[in-house]
């Protein structure tokens, strides 16, 4: 039989399995099964580690994307890998869906619970198991905060490079699940570029070791596959990360512009000159003023845009590149170029950037945080187009993003209490993501798909790609119980969304429409 036949067969099985997988899909009709499940979970864990009362469940009803809320049926907080395995085996036997959760700082609804499922919190997995300075790596549990790794490694002159803006709170397990980035990922890469090995528990309760404490290992690159899989393939219970030596010197250049498009063009000019900054960030006027009012970072309030360009390395390297950078920025139309005079000012510049999201939250009742990625050369065009859409929808936008790698974070400001404004905001956001795909980019850079962007997956991918995604999911989770309904849409959903354009606008397998 041809491969296509088998992938279609797997897809059918996946769709049907999830529909009938949960014995608890109607909790009110299955009170006995729910009670029995809770009793079974309490036999595996201490009583305080199984939460069932509404007031105890409420903190787990959403992640950082609070527009979507759902109380889980039950929350479990295991402390050991053996406990996680036992929970997974129990849920697999009883066909109960499981959603794994870290710190809950995600911004795509990826950790949204299920009313008929178990929410598996990894909050108690918070130990750094080993710092190995000789091999420049650390072994940590998934509940360890991102920043805590660098704090623990600092005594050895080492640090962990990926630094999401939420690094003070977000956990390494969630970083792996979403393949998180940060302001320094331009030079040092995303999470996937900074980990060596994972230990993962499957839905059936098996413990897998993926990767190795070396730069390469034989077989398929399952480490990359697992990174960014949004909790759909397994539960991460241990992570081995790479550590880097702290650079001799790091310095930030701040450049102000009177036009946001000029700032976008300057980004391309910097990279074209062969300079790869450790970080290259951009903020527009609205974001600048919000951040300045919030943390007093010393930003020029009258600028239409600023670039923050960090250079690191040896003293000689940094001095040479700063001079070159200043020349490029001035030639690109910068109205002001300023270099941080000391480490305190460097940290203050970054504090303003990393505080941009909460700062914008102070000036608007609500905001919708987008996350798309585009080729750098398209920055001027996309920024101009976002400005036009902002006027069309009569909704202000604060632009904050990782300019160096084209990862945009437009924040659409709105008031959910005004009738129709949330719907208009969501439509505006959809058009921004469609624009990213149109210019050769993608609908997410680091926040993941979750439930927020699941329809936009239909814009980016055709039926052939989506069918293969489901085949991968089925290979790891044949019963479809791990974080179901997230990240990868069914073809039926895409048909309803009206966004798959294959074979002259028709689904390649029309018979799938019934699923």
């Amino acid at each position: 039989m041809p491969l296509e036949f088998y992938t279609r067969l797997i897809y059918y099985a996946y769709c049907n399995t999830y529909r009938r997988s949960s014995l608890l899909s109607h909790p009110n009709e299955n009170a006995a099964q729910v009670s029995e499940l809770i009793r079974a979970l309490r036999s595996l864990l201490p009583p305080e580690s199984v939460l069932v009362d509404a007031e105890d469940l409420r903190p787990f009803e959403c992640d950082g994307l609070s527009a979507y809320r759902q109380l889980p049926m039950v929350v479990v907080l295991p402390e050991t890998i053996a406990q996680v395995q036992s929970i997974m085996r129990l849920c697999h036997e009883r066909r109960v869906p499981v959603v794994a959760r870290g710190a809950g700082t995600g911004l795509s609804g990826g950790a949204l619970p299920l009313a008929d499922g178990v929410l598996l919190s990894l909050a108690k997995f918070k130990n750094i198991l080993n710092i190995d300075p000789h091999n420049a790596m650390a072994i940590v549990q998934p509940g360890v905060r991102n920043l805590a790794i660098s704090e623990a490694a600092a005594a050895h002159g080492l640090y962990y490079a990926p630094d999401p803006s939420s690094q003070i709170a977000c956990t390494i397990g969630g970083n792996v699940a979403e393949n998180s980035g940060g302001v320094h990922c331009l030079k040092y890469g995303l999470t996937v570029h900074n980990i060596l090995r994972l230990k993962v528990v499957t839905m059936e309760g098996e413990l897998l070791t993926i990767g190795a404490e070396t730069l390469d290992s034989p077989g398929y690159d399952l480490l990359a596959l697992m990174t960014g899989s949004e909790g759909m393939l397994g539960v991460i219970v241990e992570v081995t990360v790479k550590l880097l030596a702290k650079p001799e010197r790091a310095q930030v250049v701040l450049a102000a512009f009177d036009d946001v498009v000029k700032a976008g063009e300057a980004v391309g000019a910097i990279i074209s000159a062969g300079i790869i900054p450790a970080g290259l960030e951009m903020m527009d006027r609205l974001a600048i003023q919000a951040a300045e009012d919030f943390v007093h970072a010393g930003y020029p309030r009258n600028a239409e845009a600023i670039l923050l360009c960090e250079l690191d390395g040896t003293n000689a390297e940094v001095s040479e590149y700063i001079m070159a950078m200043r020349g490029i920025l001035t030639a690109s139309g910068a109205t002001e170029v300023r270099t941080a005079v000391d480490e305190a000012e460097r940290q203050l510049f970054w504090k303003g950037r990393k505080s941009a999201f909460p700062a914008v939250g102070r000036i608007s009742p609500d905001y919708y945080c987008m996350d798309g990625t585009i080729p750098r050369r398209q920055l001027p065009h996309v920024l101009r187009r976002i400005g036009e859409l902002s006027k069309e929808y009569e909704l202000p936008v604060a632009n904050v993003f990782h300019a160096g790698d084209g990862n945009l974070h437009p924040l659409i400001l709105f008031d959910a209490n005004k009738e129709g404004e949330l719907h208009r905001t969501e439509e505006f956001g959809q058009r921004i993501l469609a624009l990213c795909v149109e210019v050769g980019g993608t609908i997410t850079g680091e926040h993941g798909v979750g439930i927020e962007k699941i329809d936009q997956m239909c814009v980016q991918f055709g039926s052939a790609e989506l069918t293969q995604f489901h085949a991968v999911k089925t290979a790891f989770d044949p019963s479809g119980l791990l974080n179901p309904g997230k990240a990868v849409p069914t073809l039926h959903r895409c048909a309803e969304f009206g966004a798959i354009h294959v074979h002259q606008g028709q689904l390649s397998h029309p018979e799938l429409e019934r699923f």
Side-chain angles (χ1 to χ4, degrees):
M1 292 288 184
L3 176 61
E4 181 186 23
F5 171 82
Y6 290 108
T7 55
R8 289 165 63 184
L9 186 63
I10 289 170
Y11 180 78
Y12 298 151
Y14 170 78
C15 293
N16 283 324
T17 299
Y18 177 60
R19 295 204 171 198
R20 63 172 180 267
S21 61
S22 176
L23 295 178
L24 307 172
S25 55
H26 303 288
N28 293 332
E29 300 174 11
N30 295 280
Q33 289 99 320
V34 174
S35 297
E36 186 182 346
L37 174 70
I38 291 170
R39 281 195 299 272
L41 289 169
R42 283 177 171 158
S43 73
L44 302 175
L45 300 169
E48 66 274 11
S49 296
V50 181
L51 309 180
V52 295
D53 295 334
E55 61 267 30
D56 294 328
L57 301 177
R58 191 69 63 190
F60 301 92
E61 69 179 353
C62 67
D63 59 12
L65 188 74
S66 57
Y68 301 96
R69 296 177 182 270
Q70 173 62 61
L71 282 180
M73 180 177 65
V74 58
V75 173
V76 293
L77 295 102
E79 297 183 55
T80 68
I81 292 175
Q83 288 176 345
V84 173
Q85 290 180 275
S86 297
I87 292 165
M88 299 301 279
R89 290 189 192 107
L90 176 66
C91 291
H92 180 257
E93 289 168 3
R94 302 190 182 209
R95 293 294 189 265
V96 179
V98 176
V99 176
R101 178 188 171 96
T105 59
L107 293 170
S108 63
L112 187 75
L114 299 170
D116 62 342
V118 169
L119 186 97
L120 194 158
S121 171
L122 294 156
K124 293 185 177 182
F125 280 71
K126 55 185 180 181
N127 295 319
I128 295 176
L129 303 176
N130 184 39
I131 299 284
D132 182 350
H134 300 293
N135 292 300
M137 65 184 185
I139 302 174
V140 304
Q141 292 185 315
V144 172
R145 294 178 302 110
N146 177 288
L147 185 59
I149 301 175
S150 290
E151 290 172 342
H156 305 285
L158 302 170
Y159 76 108
Y160 178 62
D163 57 342
S165 295
S166 59
Q167 69 175 149
I168 193 171
C170 67
T171 54
I172 193 66
N175 291 171
V176 174
E178 301 293 348
N179 194 19
S180 301
V183 299
H184 290 96
C185 64
L186 173 61
K187 183 174 182 178
Y188 296 110
L190 301 165
T191 300
V192 70
H193 305 112
N194 289 275
I195 60 174
L196 293 168
R197 184 181 65 185
L198 298 174
K199 288 188 178 180
V200 178
V201 175
T202 68
M203 190 65 225
E204 291 86 353
E206 292 182 279
L207 179 63
L208 307 180
T209 298
I210 296 172
E213 294 182 2
T214 57
L215 292 178
D216 195 14
S217 59
Y220 293 119
D221 190 0
L222 298 182
L223 189 66
L225 177 64
M226 192 63 62
T227 308
S229 60
E230 303 195 31
M232 295 176 62
L233 306 182
V235 177
I236 297 162
V237 292
E238 186 181 288
V239 186
T240 301
V241 305
K242 300 177 186 177
L243 299 175
L244 299 179
K246 287 185 177 179
E248 182 180 354
R249 176 181 167 194
Q251 202 156 10
V252 176
V253 175
L254 183 155
F257 292 83
D258 58 10
D259 184 345
V260 71
V261 174
K262 287 181 183 177
E265 291 171 342
V267 171
I270 292 168
I271 304 298
S272 296
I275 300 173
I276 305 297
L280 181 51
E281 301 288 301
M282 181 173 169
M283 300 166 65
D284 71 4
R285 186 186 188 95
L286 197 53
I288 293 165
Q289 293 180 349
E292 184 60 21
D293 290 342
F294 187 37
V295 301
H296 310 294
Y299 294 163
R301 293 180 56 87
N302 61 343
E304 290 299 320
I306 63 169
L307 289 179
L308 294 175
C309 316
E310 178 160 294
L311 298 158
D312 66 4
T314 65
N315 276 320
E317 283 179 312
V318 173
S319 295
E320 179 183 347
Y321 282 131
I322 281 181
M323 293 301 295
M325 178 85 75
R326 292 179 67 93
I328 293 168
L329 293 168
T330 301
S332 297
T335 57
E336 178 186 359
V337 181
R338 192 194 318 162
T339 303
V341 296
D342 54 23
E343 178 63 13
E345 188 171 34
R346 182 183 84 89
Q347 293 288 355
L348 190 57
F349 283 170
W350 283 126
K351 184 178 181 182
R353 164 60 186 88
K354 291 195 171 190
S355 301
F357 285 12
V360 170
R362 298 170 73 241
I363 65 173
S364 176
D366 303 281
Y367 70 77
Y368 188 24
C369 177
M370 305 305 300
D371 167 48
T373 303
I374 61 172
R376 282 187 294 264
R377 68 181 183 280
Q378 296 288 355
L379 272 172
H381 166 68
V382 170
L383 289 172
R384 188 181 297 110
R385 186 70 184 118
I386 288 175
E388 293 169 354
L389 290 170
S390 176
K391 292 177 181 177
E392 179 181 336
Y393 283 91
E394 299 181 339
L395 292 168
V397 177
N399 284 293
V400 183
F401 52 90
H402 309 308
D405 53 354
N407 185 197
L408 311 179
H409 295 311
L411 308 179
I412 305 173
L413 279 55
F414 72 103
D415 186 347
N417 294 314
K418 293 182 179 179
E419 187 176 354
E421 197 152 298
L422 174 58
H423 175 74
R424 199 162 81 251
T425 300
E426 290 177 327
E427 185 179 304
F428 182 4
Q430 289 176 1
R431 290 187 65 180
I432 290 175
L433 295 181
L435 174 63
C436 291
V437 175
E438 179 185 319
V439 300
T442 177
I443 61 168
T444 182
E446 57 179 342
H447 293 174
V449 175
I451 58 171
E452 181 206 15
K453 304 191 196 77
I454 195 164
D455 287 335
Q456 277 62 54
M457 286 286 283
C458 306
V459 174
Q460 181 152 6
F461 297 106
S463 60
E465 293 92 344
L466 293 173
T467 300
Q468 291 301 321
F469 289 161
H470 283 293
V472 171
K473 163 72 169 169
T474 303
F476 281 84
D477 178 23
S479 51
L481 295 172
L482 266 173
N483 212 12
K486 310 284 179 61
V488 182
T490 63
L491 296 187
H492 175 65
R493 181 176 188 136
C494 287
E496 290 181 337
F497 186 67
I500 284 187
H501 303 291
V502 206
H503 299 291
Q504 290 73 51
Q506 301 299 314
L507 287 171
S508 57
H509 306 305
E511 67 272 20
L512 291 177
E513 293 185 11
R514 67 179 180 274
F515 293 104

